Amino acid sequence: EPEVTQTPSHQVTQMGQEVILRCVPISNHLYFYWYRQILGQKVEFLVSFYNNEISEKSEIFDDQFSVERPDGSNFTLKIRSTKLEDSAMYFCAVGALEGGVAGELFFGEGSRLTVL
Amino acid sequence: AQSVSQHNHHVILSEAASLELGCNYSYGGTVNLFWYVQYPGQHLQLLLKYFSGDPLVKGIKGFEAEFIKSKFSFNLRKPSVQWSDTAEYFCAIFSGGYNKLIFGAGTRLAVHP
């Protein structure tokens, strides 16, 4: 059973629409991450989240993106106004359980976002 | 800045052939090193990891990797590949100072029966 469950598995949206991707970790992880993978390209870091705030973000993570963990369980990525180039597979990852190895992340199965 | 280079973008092998995928990284400090695998249509899974101790680490499914600090390398090896090893392989590094996993571009491996 995966450590992380992501929903939706696939979302198709129109350019300019808002999208929310959700991630639910099973265990009590400390760090949360979003990565994305444009088709055929490398896995890119978007943002890390620790102690209810952003720990680090990449250049990709501009003002159109936001993350939150509103209820201490779900970890969400919101894209405010989607662009065609946001089409990608978005992976949630969790890491740093007590006694775990730093950087050993557990990835969800991904949410494929298609922007038309 | 941290970066990871994977030398081969696409590798094609026959079953039972030996595999070596190259990975070099640039970062002067202490890093943890990882290989992740992504089978077709699936999510990323950890193949093996190095954070200290014996620089030759063994992972799942017969894979191993050797950390050579002087060469900033962490090459992945398997003596005899199987068709089921067809997947994309990503080398990655993690340093506490940056608190993120940085991936290489990936190597797509196709194993023919």
Side-chain angles (χ1 to χ4, degrees):
Chain A
E1 187 174 4
E3 293 273 339
V4 179
T5 302
Q6 288 187 241
T7 56
S9 55
H10 191 187
Q11 182 159 353
V12 181
T13 189
Q14 295 290 324
M15 193 169 55
Q17 294 297 304
E18 177 182 280
V19 162
I20 297 176
L21 306 179
R22 290 185 172 80
C23 169
V24 181
I26 292 178
S27 304
N28 294 323
H29 294 273
L30 300 176
Y31 285 90
F32 301 83
Y33 302 83
W34 282 102
Y35 284 80
R36 79 171 185 190
Q37 186 180 28
I38 296 172
L39 189 63
Q41 298 186 26
K42 68 190 293 184
V43 179
E44 301 174 293
F45 169 79
L46 291 178
V47 65
S48 61
F49 191 84
Y50 171 73
N51 201 24
N52 286 323
E53 60 183 26
I54 290 175
S55 177
E56 187 168 351
K57 58 184 180 180
S58 71
E59 293 176 351
I60 303 167
F61 195 88
D62 61 21
D63 292 344
Q64 293 299 315
F65 291 87
S66 63
V67 289
E68 62 177 5
R69 198 163 172 239
D71 56 7
S73 175
N74 291 280
F75 178 52
T76 62
L77 173 69
K78 182 191 291 186
I79 308 175
R80 204 182 334 270
S81 177
T82 50
K83 302 187 285 287
L84 294 176
E85 53 265 37
D86 293 328
S87 294
M89 181 72 92
Y90 288 80
F91 291 104
C92 174
V94 296
L97 272 174
E98 191 69 34
V101 174
E104 182 175 356
L105 303 188
F106 300 94
F107 286 82
E109 297 194 344
S111 294
R112 182 171 297 284
L113 175 65
T114 303
V115 182
L116 303 176
Chain B
Q2 299 173 307
S3 67
V4 179
S5 297
Q6 291 184 240
H7 310 149
N8 314 99
H9 296 296
H10 201 174
V11 173
I12 302 173
L13 295 173
S14 298
E15 273 193 318
S18 65
L19 169 73
E20 180 159 2
L21 301 182
C23 172
N24 286 88
Y25 68 94
S26 66
Y27 182 65
T30 302
V31 294
N32 292 343
L33 297 151
F34 303 84
W35 277 95
Y36 281 83
V37 60
Q38 187 177 31
Y39 297 103
Q42 295 189 28
H43 63 293
L44 289 159
Q45 301 171 46
L46 182 66
L47 199 56
L48 50 74
K49 62 192 177 194
Y50 170 81
F51 53 99
S52 67
D54 189 343
L56 183 63
V57 292
K58 296 189 185 298
I60 60 173
K61 304 184 180 184
F63 285 91
E64 64 178 34
E66 184 175 12
F67 170 51
I68 303 179
K69 189 174 182 179
S70 61
K71 295 184 178 179
F72 296 90
S73 70
F74 190 56
N75 292 354
L76 180 71
R77 298 195 292 252
K78 185 171 184 178
S80 176
V81 295
Q82 300 171 303
W83 176 80
S84 58
D85 293 325
T86 295
E88 189 154 17
Y89 293 82
F90 294 91
C91 182
I93 64 172
F94 183 94
S95 74
Y98 289 91
N99 189 31
K100 61 185 178 185
L101 202 58
I102 303 295
F103 287 90
T107 298
R108 196 175 295 274
L109 171 66
V111 180
H112 293 176

